[in-house]
Amino acid sequence: MEQYVIKGGTPLKGEVEIGGAKNAALAILAAAIMTEDTVRISNVPDVRDTNVLLGAIQDIGATVTREDKNTVVINGAGIHTYSVDYDYVNKIRASYYLLGSMLGRFKKAEVALPGGCDIGSRPIDLHIKGFKALGAEVDISYGLISAKADRLVGNHIYLDKVSVGATINILMAAVLAEGKTVIDNAAREPHVVDVANFLNSMGADIRGAGTESIRINGVSKLHGTDYSVIPDQIEAGTFLFAGVATGGDVTVKNVIPKHLEATTSKLLETGCKVIEFDDAVRVIAAKPYNQTSVTTLPYPGFPTDMQPQMAVVLALANGVSTVTESIFESRFKYVDELARMGASMQVEGNVAIIKGVDKLTGARVQAPDLRAGAALVIAGLAAEGVTIVDDIHYIQRGYELFHEKLQKLGATIEKTSTDKEIQKFILKVS
Ligand code: UD1
């Protein structure tokens, strides 16, 4: 098992290059098999989740070649099965995007019920509702979801809850359905727009992505394309928040500043300085910075994937803050770990009440999931002394070269895999 060992207390300073958006890439890789032509996708983050999905795509018969670390070339002409193995789906929830993409292209698909980060119950009723509305028969048995149709026909679909996954999955199936589909109360996240742009570059006819009403005119076939994934707003936000929590000055490069507005506006409220450039954002921490209140909401609201990182920032703010989680019910699992580092947080239902403290102190903590894991690393960077974050395989699901990028900003952080290496690090830094 690997861990990050951190000697905290150094303000992070400098510039960091942000990679492609993991959540956009996952949907785009799944959509790439919707044609028998070749598709080239660049700016794909080289992280565990994208690599698992590429494995699943290869396993069903597509060819996957890597031009370089972040560019993949996919050809789905040789797909010979419409069934995705449990091993993949168990590792990443987003393998369920293959349901929408295969249903669209082959009119049949079978995928095991999804796993993923344990951040609360994560139903897929809305995906199923959408597939059924397009004329598919959907069956759940023996731990599998299977969907099939003689033909898919466009329909008007209202999503009872805003769901990124359901919006994208239904969108993919509808692209190759006959006639017009309207998805209302659709998710507006930047990655939904990116998937729609990708599909349009393959010959789809999708309008309104990024609004709550997406209109799709079905086409009979899609063709190859060459496409670059958008920058990762969550990776960018994580580095900015690490800069603030350590009292530093960090610039994230290769970002779309508009996508970061929900997070940077919260930093402005705390008194930090935010400077926007065309494709970069710089944040200079106020010392000390002030409390604020945050509620997670679908885009353009504050992203739930930045909630744990925000809580760490607020754990060191002046005054009492609240963080309300309105998307996933079990997203406060990191609170006990943070408390062990000296944070003062109390959770009541879906609200965390955070009393800012002057300092955190290093401890051995466990990453409970991807974003909470990143938040614990931020806490370690800001804390006095040495922090060891265990279970970093969660963090590796979504952050490419995480500790290397932090090192470039001046952090004292290393990846270790044995007690001996941990002891060596502690001796070196003490
Ligand atoms: C995606 C992101 C995840 C992010 C989340 C919210 C990917 C791979 N993952 O997850 O990182 O935290 O969006 O921004 O892109 N819901 C239902 N029924 C459904 C589907 C969802 O009730 O059929 C509920 C969920 O329980 C949740 C809410 O809708 O409360 C939003 O979930 P959703 O947007 O679907 O999240 P994911 O697509 O799973």
Side-chain angles (χ1 to χ4, degrees):
M1 284 298 207
E2 291 179 326
Q3 48 282 119
Y4 287 133
V5 283
I6 304 158
K7 167 81 166 40
T10 311
L12 299 192
K13 287 196 174 136
E15 296 179 340
V16 57
E17 199 75 38
I18 298 306
K22 171 190 77 95
N23 287 348
L26 289 170
I28 287 172
L29 294 175
I33 61 146
M34 292 178 69
T35 171
E36 44 186 45
D37 294 349
T38 297
V39 171
R40 182 174 176 275
I41 308 162
S42 52
N43 211 27
V44 176
D46 181 19
V47 293
R48 191 168 295 195
D49 276 14
T50 52
N51 290 326
V52 171
L53 185 61
L54 285 169
I57 289 170
Q58 245 170 330
D59 208 41
I60 56 172
T63 57
V64 175
T65 359
R66 245 176 221 281
E67 245 176 45
D68 59 46
K69 203 160 66 68
N70 300 111
T71 308
V72 292
V73 177
I74 297 175
N75 184 292
I79 291 176
H80 50 70
T81 169
Y82 313 112
S83 178
V84 180
D85 209 78
Y86 175 72
D87 275 357
Y88 297 109
V89 188
N90 185 38
K91 286 191 192 115
I92 56 155
R93 199 179 153 73
S95 359
Y96 65 25
Y97 283 140
L98 290 168
L99 264 180
S101 65
M102 289 199 289
L103 181 64
R105 177 167 163 206
F106 303 111
K107 309 292 176 269
K108 55 184 164 187
E110 190 178 78
V111 172
L113 280 165
C117 269
D118 182 13
I119 52 177
S121 93
R122 297 178 78 174
I124 53 156
D125 55 309
L126 297 171
H127 305 234
I128 294 171
K129 171 179 164 174
F131 294 149
K132 283 186 174 165
L134 295 174
E137 263 177 54
V138 184
D139 177 60
I140 299 188
S141 48
Y142 305 105
L144 294 172
I145 316 170
S146 42
K148 60 174 194 286
D150 292 333
R151 45 195 285 249
L152 293 175
V153 181
N155 204 341
H156 192 140
I157 298 158
Y158 176 82
L159 297 179
D160 307 281
K161 205 167 176 182
V162 178
S163 160
V164 173
T167 303
I168 292 177
N169 235 340
I170 297 165
L171 177 69
M172 291 196 287
V175 156
L176 290 172
E178 294 164 36
K180 186 173 175 178
T181 298
V182 177
I183 307 174
D184 269 331
N185 202 26
R188 291 179 280 167
E189 266 70 1
H191 42 294
V192 174
V193 180
D194 207 32
V195 179
N197 287 340
F198 171 71
L199 287 164
N200 281 342
S201 79
M202 293 171 82
D205 181 0
I206 304 164
R207 290 154 205 224
T211 74
E212 58 196 32
S213 184
I214 303 181
R215 302 173 307 284
I216 305 135
N217 287 312
V219 295
S220 58
K221 219 170 164 322
L222 296 176
H223 54 71
T225 186
D226 193 337
Y227 195 82
S228 179
V229 176
I230 53 163
D232 197 313
Q233 50 153 339
I234 306 299
E235 186 196 9
T238 301
F239 282 105
L240 290 179
F241 282 21
V244 170
T246 57
D249 175 351
V250 168
T251 301
V252 286
K253 291 176 72 180
N254 181 35
V255 297
I256 300 171
K258 175 132 196 65
H259 294 170
L260 287 167
E261 270 172 12
T263 37
T264 50
S265 67
K266 283 292 153 190
L267 295 178
L268 282 172
E269 281 175 27
T270 66
C272 294
K273 197 166 168 190
V274 177
I275 307 161
E276 275 187 14
F277 304 91
D278 283 350
D279 63 353
V281 173
R282 177 179 176 192
V283 173
I284 305 163
K287 292 176 225 169
Y289 53 84
N290 296 323
Q291 58 73 235
T292 188
S293 288
V294 177
T295 300
T296 64
L297 285 169
Y299 189 84
F302 189 89
T304 173
D305 285 356
M306 284 300 298
Q307 182 261 97
Q309 302 90 313
M310 186 74 203
V312 172
V313 167
L314 296 177
L316 287 160
N318 228 341
V320 178
S321 307
T322 59
V323 172
T324 306
E325 173 56 60
S326 75
I327 314 271
F328 295 113
E329 73 265 27
S330 310
R331 230 175 171 170
F332 285 127
K333 284 193 182 150
Y334 60 90
V335 166
D336 289 344
E337 299 297 277
L338 265 190
R340 298 180 52 242
M341 298 179 72
S344 172
M345 290 177 74
Q346 201 186 329
V347 178
E348 283 173 20
N350 67 339
V351 183
I353 301 149
I354 305 170
K355 213 154 114 198
V357 292
D358 290 340
K359 65 170 189 193
L360 296 174
T361 47
R364 187 159 190 160
V365 291
Q366 266 181 314
D369 60 62
L370 164 58
R371 305 304 172 184
L376 290 173
V377 170
I378 297 177
L381 293 167
E384 214 174 80
V386 173
T387 294
I388 302 165
V389 181
D390 282 310
D391 286 344
I392 62 167
H393 56 95
Y394 285 116
I395 302 172
Q396 291 162 345
R397 294 183 58 166
Y399 292 91
E400 183 175 351
L401 300 174
F402 193 43
H403 74 283
E404 290 89 340
K405 288 184 181 181
L406 287 167
Q407 282 169 347
K408 281 200 187 133
L409 294 172
T412 308
I413 177 169
E414 275 174 27
K415 189 165 72 181
T416 57
S417 53
T418 61
D419 279 346
K420 210 167 149 193
E421 284 173 2
I422 297 175
Q423 291 314 323
K424 215 167 123 191
F425 175 88
I426 294 172
L427 272 176
K428 197 168 81 181
V429 299
S430 54

